[in-house]
Amino acid sequence: MAALTGTGIWSAELRFGEPGAVAEAAAELESWGYTAVWIPDARGDLFGALDRLRAATSTLTVASGILNIWRQTADATNAWWAGLSPAERDRTLIGLGVSHGPLIGDEWRRPLTAMGAFLDDLDVPADRRCLAALGPRMLALARDRSAGAHPYLVTPEHTARAREVLGPEALLAPEQGVVLETGPAAARGIAREAIAGYTNLPNYVNNWKRLGYTDDDVSGLSDRLVDALVAWGDVDAIAARVAEHRAAGADHVCLQVLLAPGGPLPRGAWKALAGI
């Protein structure tokens, strides 16, 4: 399913915001030329949130980024999928992920085995699902048993490595955090606050180390690591980072606009970044 191209928006605000404002924003995103919206799982009714986004739009792909296989069941996912019309299915992409041991607790077990078992029980066709994959083994599973991969909190170098594993046909849709701010201190401050919690999650830390970042980079969230993970600056600077992902093999790039906590839907930034 490398048919998903262009630029998308990854947004927790579209998952948890006031329904009327979310519907209006989704319609705006579609009118500005975005090709997909991605929302996290976390809590509450993921399937209902996907349905509402699809109902508010007519062409956008709505995608989960990601459905947590420890918090949802294959049976519940199958029952929801069975209730969708063919046209609704054509605009829905289910991103699946194994989350992280520190977040799940004792239930968490071998991620590849757990994902394989979930896929065995899942009725969603392979071309309508993708995997949150960072390391080579999960990327290979994404290639073999889904449309492709949706890596999160990665760099263009990771995109190039992922494309090598996925081969030329599979979907590659990395998330890219962005801060539309030209002041280095302010931009990096927002970026650090947004990504600090991920430094305690081994999946991400191990991936950064595979890319050459050190324990000191991670523990101190060095400028080097922050700048690699989050694109900041004006629209041209962010467009340049998106272009790097595309040159490295991305079919579709999902922008996550990072703001100071408590902010409204970042509609101004979304509009400014449309078309990159």
Side-chain angles (χ1 to χ4, degrees):
M1 186 206 150
L4 181 58
T5 58
T7 306
I9 290 295
W10 196 107
S11 172
E13 295 92 347
L14 290 175
R15 172 73 166 87
F16 303 115
E18 190 277 319
V22 165
E24 184 177 301
E28 285 181 333
L29 291 170
E30 182 174 77
S31 73
W32 294 331
Y34 290 102
T35 56
V37 290
W38 299 73
I39 58 172
D41 192 345
R43 63 183 185 275
D45 180 12
L46 172 65
F47 302 129
L50 291 168
D51 290 341
R52 288 189 292 274
L53 286 167
R54 197 175 48 249
T57 57
S58 58
T59 61
L60 276 177
T61 294
V62 298
S64 58
I66 48 79
L67 181 153
N68 184 336
I69 67 169
W70 308 106
R71 297 293 182 245
Q72 308 287 351
T73 67
D75 285 346
T77 307
N78 292 339
W80 167 73
W81 185 262
L84 300 182
S85 70
E88 290 170 328
R89 294 177 182 179
D90 285 345
R91 287 209 296 126
T92 304
L93 180 62
I94 303 303
L96 304 158
V98 295
S99 189
H100 308 273
L103 300 181
I104 302 302
D106 293 340
E107 183 185 6
W108 202 81
R109 62 183 189 274
R110 294 173 64 89
L112 281 168
T113 300
M115 180 60 79
F118 196 95
L119 293 173
D120 288 343
D121 294 334
L122 192 64
D123 292 340
V124 177
D127 68 346
R128 304 314 308 169
R129 66 197 193 200
C130 64
L131 305 188
L134 296 174
R137 290 185 295 172
M138 191 64 77
L139 284 164
L141 187 66
R143 176 196 65 211
D144 295 341
R145 301 203 57 187
S146 81
H150 170 50
Y152 185 91
L153 208 54
V154 295
T155 66
E157 181 182 351
H158 182 273
T159 294
R161 294 185 184 190
R163 177 52 74 196
E164 289 181 2
V165 177
L166 291 170
E169 301 300 326
L171 172 71
L172 180 51
E175 174 269 354
Q176 175 63 63
V178 303
V179 178
L180 199 55
E181 166 63 58
T182 57
R188 288 175 176 144
I190 293 170
R192 282 192 173 92
E193 187 159 9
I195 64 180
Y198 297 104
T199 63
N200 297 314
L201 301 177
N203 293 15
Y204 291 117
V205 173
N206 291 340
N207 191 53
W208 302 334
K209 289 182 177 179
R210 283 193 294 268
L211 294 168
Y213 297 94
T214 66
D215 287 332
D216 287 343
D217 285 319
V218 174
S219 63
L221 274 178
S222 68
D223 286 354
R224 185 171 84 105
L225 180 58
V226 169
D227 291 353
L229 296 175
V230 177
W232 57 266
D234 60 13
V235 171
D236 288 343
I238 292 169
R241 179 68 61 88
V242 172
E244 289 181 43
H245 279 289
R246 291 193 173 121
D251 301 296
H252 172 86
V253 180
C254 333
L255 302 180
Q256 181 178 184
V257 173
L258 305 176
L259 299 172
L265 288 167
R267 291 157 86 161
W270 289 342
K271 186 175 184 180
L273 295 168
I276 67 172

